[in-house]
Amino acid sequence: MPASLYLGAQRPLDNSNVGSVLNLPAHHLVTHGVVVGMTGSGKTGLVTVLVEEALRAQVPVLVIDVKGDLTNLLLSFPTFDPAALLPWVHAVAEPTDLRSHGEIAAQLANERARGLRAWGIDERTLAAYANGIDVRVITPGSTAGEPLHVLSSLERRSERWRKDPESARGALSAAVSLLLRLLGRDADPARSKEHVLLSVLAEARLAAGEAADLEALLHDLARPPITKVGALELDAFLPKSERRVLAASLNTLLASPTFVSWRQGATLDLEGWLAPRAGKTPAVVVSVAHLDDEERTLVLGVLLEEVLSWVRTLPGTQRLRALVVFDEVFGFLPPHPANPPTKRPLVALMKQARAFGVGVLVATQNPMDLDYRALSNAGLWCVGRLQTDADRARVVDGLALAGAHGVHSSSGLANALKLLAQRSFLMRNVHASDGTVLMQPRWAMSFLRGPMTRTEIRAALAARAHAEDPPSERTPLVAGRPESALPGLAE
Amino acid sequence: MEESNVSSSSAVEASSLAAYESLKEEIAAVADGDLIHINVDIPTAVTTVLRSLAGLRALRTRLLALAEFDVEQFDKLERYTRAAFYANMLYTVAARPTESMPELTEEATGLRDLLYSDARALVQRGLLNGDELRVVKAATGYRPLANDLIALAAVLGANWERVSAKTAVLEEDLKRAQRLSDRILNAVSQREQAASSTLATATLERNRAYTLFFRAYDNARRAVSYLRWREADMEKIAPSLFAGRSTGRRKLGDDVGPADEPGFVEAGETMSDASAPPIAPAAQGALPAPAPVPVGLPGADPFIRT
């Protein structure tokens, strides 16, 4: 029986019937999903539920976390015990709340228990979930989580140059852009001569099966193994004096203590990241909340090129093999003519990953900023409250692209969007026959503390590392709806 | 029960403030787990209840005879009503944006794009140094947008003598860029301050005050429903706060109370008394609405009711 994701409840768009349990077949996500909604619409909660359900269905998840909200996956406690929430009370308590942290934790735990039980999730289910997942948080350029060797596709040898040179070249280009950005130089692959030269030098080494570490590139800049770049002599393309300046800045960067964190830690190895560890389903959160806008774009460009390369190595399947989640995709998948390094691999993933069983889920509060090609490739739409008429119009257009209107008129959808309450969404699944429906996500099992700082990530990882797994709670993970129907909901 | 007095808006405000102040402790004591989701327009609901007070008071003596009837809560209905009105007013003030961010952003983004494209054209013609434009990131977010406007105004302003005759940009555009930038930064700062404290507090206070108000009126309606069962005029005496909703919702039974809800029993009577009216719904629209389901729980209203 195919795995299904227990997302909450649904009811018809005209609100003319009682709700029913919403179980989304997991393989429906291979045609990708889009979640849109303004701040406060419950978008992050819904994305968290989708991730949790994918993990319950033993589908590995890669989460790209721009704002820092999805590191909350670390806060998946196996019980309703208030003690688990105590360390996080300071972050959610109102400044005017004069109660002790213990009292606030007790109230939060009580609310959490009430909310989850109302959705049919008890401590046993919580424990099974918490003990069945392996959450890693990767923080490029920082040691708060696991650091990431973001230049690994540049500096380390890869079989990909033999098997799939096109994707290897894409990954290399992204890594060189990041390197030049760190040097404070022009990082545009189409414009920067330095980018072209470094790429040519690195590719010559990598294609020959060698590593192209920065020390080797410094050597090649000083004593170039090539005489021509394109049709031009090397000196005409980039004079020796400019190559020397580039080499000098590269050397300074190499010697900089702050640069060390960019070159240590986990290798960009998607296959390894998403393989189950000790029987647990992996959730890998790449958090870039601490980086500035340009660094985020470049780091995520490198990461997504790697994801694309990995996807292309997979055998075809129709089941959901892995889920890539990009929360707050605003600015990373913009419409034409903007073209950040993240756009090409994201559009390619949304076009091609389906055949390999990899679903992509993007979430944003600004639908105006999404490339229409990506929108038209999404089979699942969850639309929450939106702020402006323009946003609503864009979403209705997007639903039209996805063939989602069905029996509902554009104006009907726009009106429904205007009136949506918090934590309510319009949902359109192209695989379902019931058109656009109203959706209410279930309560998330993770404690939604909000964006986590680097210090908090460190603390949460440490707490998780020291947590004992209660052996009696190790029940097998079974995805899908709970055993009994929910109160107030029809089967 | 207290006398109602709806005369002028200032009098309404004063009496509402007094009611709110007198109930502050009770409002603060409402547990978060007991909060009722607000799905009515509070000023409209308040008007409905204030208008029904005279009719309700006329039944007070008979209501007293109902076992388990909370007369203290009934007597405080007017104060609960006015306090809810005042808490809603505080919330409205706290939630009111100082600037309309979407409109401001739209105007600022348009101006940034215009200035940037003109500046790029000037760079192409060698009239501006392209390096100076690198600080313009066209990145997302309010602050980057404000910073871009300042940067563009500064770059063009510094070279104004050289470029003014070669571009369609007006000096007024540069001033407007600076003004818009200031407004965005001000609005963002105010919003951040308000969002973290005042608005959150006002939202919670409103919800607590509404919960007390809703409970008191709901109980009064249930009692009246029992007393006036045969006359079937409960909707005239104490109209539903949800009256006027679409028939589609009523059809669902949303305005019908749960059948197993305990009713009020007059002193000396028992439920087995053959003359006693049934508590279960009998006439459509004649019974009070059930307590709304809190947001986030199964069955919560998917739409905002205004």
Side-chain angles (χ1 to χ4, degrees), chain A residues 43-44 64 66-67 69 326-332 363-365:
Chain A
K43 174 171 45 72
T44 300
I64 295 170
V66 174
K67 212 171 77 180
D69 276 320
F326 199 139
D327 191 24
E328 300 295 355
V329 76
F330 179 67
F332 298 101
T364 181
Q365 52 183 290

Side-chain angles (χ1 to χ4, degrees), chain B residues 3-290:
Chain B
E3 289 298 313
S4 70
N5 178 16
V6 189
S7 52
S8 66
S9 61
S10 58
V12 169
E13 198 173 320
S15 60
S16 302
L17 171 60
Y20 178 77
E21 289 292 341
S22 73
L23 291 170
K24 252 190 161 174
E25 282 184 16
E26 196 175 343
I27 291 171
V30 176
D32 287 356
D34 294 336
L35 291 178
I36 292 173
H37 177 55
I38 301 172
N39 60 355
V40 299
D41 175 50
I42 291 182
T44 308
V46 164
T47 306
T48 304
V49 176
L50 289 178
R51 281 181 182 156
S52 71
L53 284 176
L56 287 170
R57 284 189 189 116
L59 293 170
R60 187 176 186 276
T61 313
R62 291 186 64 199
L63 289 169
L64 282 176
L66 295 175
E68 300 173 29
F69 181 69
D70 188 346
V71 70
E72 189 189 348
Q73 185 191 47
F74 178 76
D75 285 346
K76 284 158 81 177
L77 176 58
E78 180 175 355
R79 273 201 288 158
Y80 287 141
T81 309
R82 293 189 183 282
F85 179 74
Y86 193 78
N88 185 59
M89 207 163 68
L90 292 180
Y91 165 80
T92 309
V93 171
R96 187 179 297 146
T98 49
E99 284 271 14
S100 169
M101 289 308 284
E103 286 167 23
L104 194 55
T105 309
E106 195 175 339
E107 185 184 353
T109 308
L111 184 59
R112 175 180 66 180
D113 294 348
L114 190 71
L115 293 180
Y116 186 67
S117 60
D118 284 358
R120 292 290 315 165
L122 291 168
V123 169
Q124 297 281 337
R125 289 187 172 276
L127 293 167
L128 278 184
N129 180 358
D131 289 343
E132 291 184 76
L133 288 183
R134 285 198 178 176
V135 288
V136 180
K137 292 183 174 176
T140 56
Y142 295 124
R143 287 186 196 283
L145 176 59
N147 291 338
D148 284 356
L149 284 173
I150 290 176
L152 283 163
V155 171
L156 288 165
N159 298 282
W160 191 242
E161 281 189 13
R162 188 148 34 106
V163 302
S164 58
K166 313 272 186 186
T167 176
V169 176
L170 303 173
E171 202 166 2
E172 172 54 26
D173 292 333
L174 304 187
K175 290 177 185 165
R176 191 157 67 95
Q178 284 171 333
R179 282 198 303 271
L180 279 171
S181 173
D182 288 347
R183 284 170 61 193
I184 291 171
L185 291 174
N186 275 336
V188 169
S189 306
Q190 285 181 21
R191 196 179 64 157
E192 285 170 353
Q193 294 295 323
S196 60
S197 55
T198 318
L199 182 56
T201 309
T203 305
L204 189 58
E205 286 288 289
R206 179 175 78 138
N207 207 339
R208 286 174 173 159
Y210 173 80
T211 300
L212 291 176
F213 156 69
F214 184 90
R215 268 196 220 144
Y217 188 60
D218 197 38
N219 282 338
R221 272 171 52 83
R222 285 166 190 266
V224 172
S225 168
Y226 175 80
L227 288 178
R228 307 288 298 177
W229 191 259
R230 291 191 188 87
E231 293 81 356
D233 58 357
M234 193 268 282
E235 283 299 322
K236 284 184 190 159
I237 298 168
S240 165
L241 300 182
F242 304 91
R245 292 261 167 100
S246 71
T247 51
R249 273 180 58 72
R250 242 181 251 124
K251 196 171 62 188
L252 305 178
D254 279 3
D255 280 352
V256 176
D260 57 352
E261 196 80 25
F264 297 103
V265 183
E266 279 196 275
E269 275 187 332
T270 65
M271 286 304 293
S272 58
D273 187 339
S275 64
I279 300 300
Q284 186 175 343
L287 289 178

